[in-house]
Amino acid sequence: MKFTNKYINIPILFCFLFSYSLIAQENTPTLVLGEKTITMDGFFTITTVVKTNPDQPFPECKFPELIEFNKRGYSKSIARSVVNGQPTVTYNITQNYQPKKEGTLKIKPFKVLVNGTEIKNEGVVVIVNKAVASPNPETENEESLVSVAEGNQKDLVNVKENAFLAISTNKLAPYVGENFTLTLAFYVAENNTAALEFDHNEIQIPEIIKKIKPESCWEESFGLTETQTSTVKLNGRTYTQYKFYQATFYPLNNKKISIPSANLRLLKDFDEKESKKRNYVTFLSKAFTIQPRDLPPHPLKQQVSVGNFSLKENVSNSKAQTGQSIDYQIQIIGDGNISVIRLPEVKNDSTFDFFQPDINSIVSPQGSKIIGTKSFTFHIIPKQAGNFAMSKYFNWVFFNPTTAQYDTLKPKVIIHTKGRTISTVDTPNAENSTIYDGLENISTPEGTSNLVRLLKNEANIIIIIMLAGLIYLFLPGKRTRQ
């Protein structure tokens, strides 16, 4: 009996571990490396891809220091999708690395820490060529900010206006629903001679962010989890910018938004008769207000999105037979609040049957804006022969803040169909009746079509049965030995 149990336990345990590993692999983060040949003014990138469910928080990533490169900020993008009613979120976090010199640079094996899990890479060789001359070097990296206000500099010794803390915005009077971006950063002029050092920013910065976040706004964060350093030009002067926080907000009403003053404490070395003494120095940003404007009168004023948008279309087959399924995709691209975009409900008629769309959205920071794409993929079954414009079924109204007018995006795709007419409840007078009759009235629960969820549930049941079997097999053996 012991011999039998021993050899039964081994395959059961193996199956259990194998099943568990398959489930665990589903949400395992992956690494994607950027171009292996770059220029001195370009970046080598390491991107972490994390797929998870919408309930999980934004992943925390710690990227390595590379000997031959300097970290130069990072970016993020978020892709949201709904397939068969199952929501999924994909995070892409990209760290930029600027080379220190030209030549063939070997990156040794490294690790990226994602939510406490180490993701390993065996290393790579990057070829760095000469920088390409900028066609307009005078305006390169020029910051365009409405409010970069220099703070209180009275505590700096023999230095005037060479460093300051600023909370800035790219818009002071957006429309309700229009984006504006807040940036919290510390600026140090290139000719600054004061020895400054940040002091407990891990405590100070979260407190400042909590203080300056506006209420009654939808937020899309740039996802900064560590200080992002870059060189910028302000009013013709060159500064090193230490960016702590950046987010795009969409005001939900016309209530005035007050951004309060914030202070940041730093450590500074003072020279007193050839002996150095460290002391605290505080930098103060200036307060300001943002006043959202109401949209002009319109029947859809309370429903439209605000921003600069364009429309793209894709169709799997623009020449199809009746009864043949077609995939038709609408993409809305722009710098508005992509997350809240909805298409008007489209109804079946005697020409087409429309099924609920698969929805996917991607947002990513670009400059001082959040640029996004939201796509709707419809499964369509044509029921009559002819040439049919999709503009009859789809149109989307939005408000363009640049022109201060309402605009409508309309499809241009025309679907050409041929074949005999298919009769459904929407075409009761048709001569022929088919299996499509009343198809849209049949109840199809989400769970029955969600194969992934079904497999997960079955795998969990099998694992529970295996565990129960292991307990049953092992416990009697232990009692016998005792």
Side-chain angles (χ1 to χ4, degrees):
M1 183 64 183
K2 291 181 181 179
F3 177 84
T4 304
N5 283 347
K6 177 181 178 181
Y7 286 94
I8 290 177
N9 292 342
I10 293 174
I12 290 177
L13 183 60
F14 175 79
C15 291
F16 167 72
L17 294 175
F18 179 72
S19 301
Y20 182 80
S21 66
L22 288 178
I23 295 173
Q25 287 174 7
E26 185 175 335
N27 294 324
T28 301
T30 58
L31 295 182
V32 178
L33 303 185
E35 295 292 333
K36 310 302 188 299
T37 302
I38 61 175
T39 58
M40 276 295 293
D41 57 349
F43 296 103
F44 171 70
T45 61
I46 300 175
T47 300
T48 301
V49 181
V50 182
K51 293 184 178 181
T52 183
N53 62 68
D55 297 330
Q56 297 299 315
F58 192 88
E60 294 184 2
C61 296
K62 186 175 182 180
F63 291 91
E65 300 289 341
L66 304 182
I67 296 176
E68 304 289 355
F69 295 81
N70 290 320
K71 282 185 177 180
R72 283 295 181 263
Y74 64 94
S75 61
K76 71 158 191 175
S77 68
I78 304 174
R80 299 181 179 92
S81 60
V82 178
V83 180
N84 293 329
Q86 183 71 23
T88 302
V89 176
T90 301
Y91 297 99
N92 289 270
I93 304 98
T94 300
Q95 175 67 58
N96 298 317
Y97 292 89
Q98 189 169 36
K100 295 180 180 178
K101 61 182 181 180
E102 298 176 16
T104 301
L105 307 182
K106 184 177 180 181
I107 298 176
K108 296 181 179 180
F110 60 86
K111 301 175 183 177
V112 177
L113 199 64
V114 183
N115 291 335
T117 301
E118 289 185 347
I119 310 299
K120 299 180 181 179
N121 185 275
E122 297 301 322
V124 67
V125 174
V126 178
I127 299 174
V128 182
N129 298 318
K130 286 185 177 181
V132 179
S134 173
N136 192 6
E138 295 299 323
T139 60
E140 187 175 7
N141 293 330
E142 187 78 23
E143 282 283 289
S144 176
L145 301 174
V146 173
S147 174
V148 176
E150 295 185 355
N152 182 3
Q153 313 303 317
K154 64 181 181 180
D155 293 328
L156 283 176
V157 178
N158 299 323
V159 178
K160 184 179 180 181
E161 297 179 349
N162 277 350
F164 63 92
L165 175 70
I167 303 168
S168 61
T169 178
N170 62 339
K171 295 172 186 174
L172 288 171
Y175 284 98
V176 173
E178 182 186 3
N179 63 65
F180 68 90
T181 298
L182 286 184
T183 303
L184 170 66
F186 187 73
Y187 297 82
V188 180
E190 62 179 349
N191 60 345
N192 189 341
T193 59
L196 298 171
E197 181 182 331
F198 293 121
D199 179 56
H200 293 294
N201 274 6
E202 72 280 4
I203 299 175
Q204 293 194 77
I205 298 303
E207 289 297 323
I208 295 175
I209 293 173
K210 183 179 178 180
K211 181 180 179 181
I212 67 174
K213 272 189 180 182
E215 297 179 353
S216 300
C217 290
W218 178 291
E219 179 186 1
E220 286 284 358
S221 174
F222 280 53
L224 298 183
T225 56
E226 60 184 33
T227 303
Q228 182 174 318
T229 306
S230 61
T231 301
V232 299
K233 287 186 178 181
L234 299 171
N235 301 322
R237 300 182 66 186
T238 302
Y239 291 83
T240 298
Q241 181 196 59
Y242 300 91
K243 189 184 296 183
F244 307 125
Y245 171 73
Q246 193 168 31
T248 293
F249 295 91
Y250 304 86
L252 303 177
N253 53 45
N254 63 355
K255 184 180 178 181
K256 183 173 68 174
I257 299 170
S258 298
I259 306 299
S261 174
N263 59 74
L264 181 68
R265 186 183 66 185
L266 282 79
L267 285 169
K268 180 182 181 296
D269 290 336
F270 292 91
D271 290 324
E272 294 183 357
K273 297 180 181 181
E274 299 183 357
S275 64
K276 288 187 176 181
K277 179 182 177 182
R278 303 196 90 188
N279 206 341
Y280 292 111
V281 57
T282 299
F283 291 84
L284 188 68
S285 69
K286 289 187 177 180
F288 59 93
T289 60
I290 297 172
Q291 181 58 66
R293 295 174 286 170
D294 276 326
L295 299 181
H298 190 278
L300 299 177
K301 174 182 175 180
Q302 303 300 327
Q303 304 174 31
V304 299
S305 294
V306 181
N308 293 287
F309 298 99
S310 60
L311 184 143
K312 287 186 177 180
E313 302 170 86
N314 290 295
V315 62
S316 61
N317 186 6
S318 61
K319 297 180 180 180
Q321 293 283 339
T322 56
Q324 178 184 355
S325 178
I326 301 171
D327 287 340
Y328 173 66
Q329 183 185 73
I330 291 178
Q331 290 184 330
I332 297 176
I333 305 165
D335 64 355
N337 192 350
I338 291 290
S339 300
V340 300
I341 288 177
R342 301 288 185 271
L343 285 181
E345 183 180 356
V346 59
K347 296 183 179 180
N348 298 340
D349 62 7
S350 60
T351 304
F352 292 106
D353 276 344
F354 297 92
F355 297 88
Q356 288 296 316
D358 295 334
I359 303 172
N360 183 66
S361 63
I362 300 174
V363 294
S364 60
Q366 293 186 20
S368 61
K369 298 179 180 179
I370 294 284
I371 304 297
T373 300
K374 192 159 191 175
S375 61
F376 302 82
T377 303
F378 292 86
H379 305 290
I380 303 175
I381 295 179
K383 300 185 289 186
Q384 288 191 26
N387 302 322
F388 305 103
M390 289 294 98
S391 58
K392 175 184 175 181
Y393 300 93
F394 300 96
N395 64 78
W396 186 70
V397 179
F398 69 100
F399 180 78
N400 189 330
T402 303
T403 62
Q405 294 180 347
Y406 292 91
D407 201 350
T408 303
L409 296 178
K410 293 183 179 181
K412 296 181 179 179
V413 164
I414 297 176
I415 295 179
H416 309 275
T417 61
K418 58 183 179 179
R420 65 187 181 88
T421 299
I422 295 176
S423 177
T424 67
V425 293
D426 298 307
T427 54
N429 296 325
E431 296 180 357
N432 300 314
S433 178
T434 72
I435 59 172
Y436 291 98
D437 292 359
L439 183 62
E440 71 283 357
N441 296 323
I442 299 176
S443 174
T444 306
E446 178 184 313
T448 59
S449 61
N450 193 333
L451 181 60
V452 174
R453 181 182 294 175
L454 182 62
L455 291 176
K456 281 184 179 179
N457 292 337
E458 290 186 353
N460 289 334
I461 292 172
I462 293 173
I463 290 172
I464 293 172
I465 294 173
M466 288 181 177
L467 286 173
L470 287 174
I471 294 171
Y472 175 78
L473 292 172
F474 275 114
L475 289 181
K478 291 183 179 181
R479 289 196 298 268
T480 303
R481 287 192 296 270
Q482 292 175 355

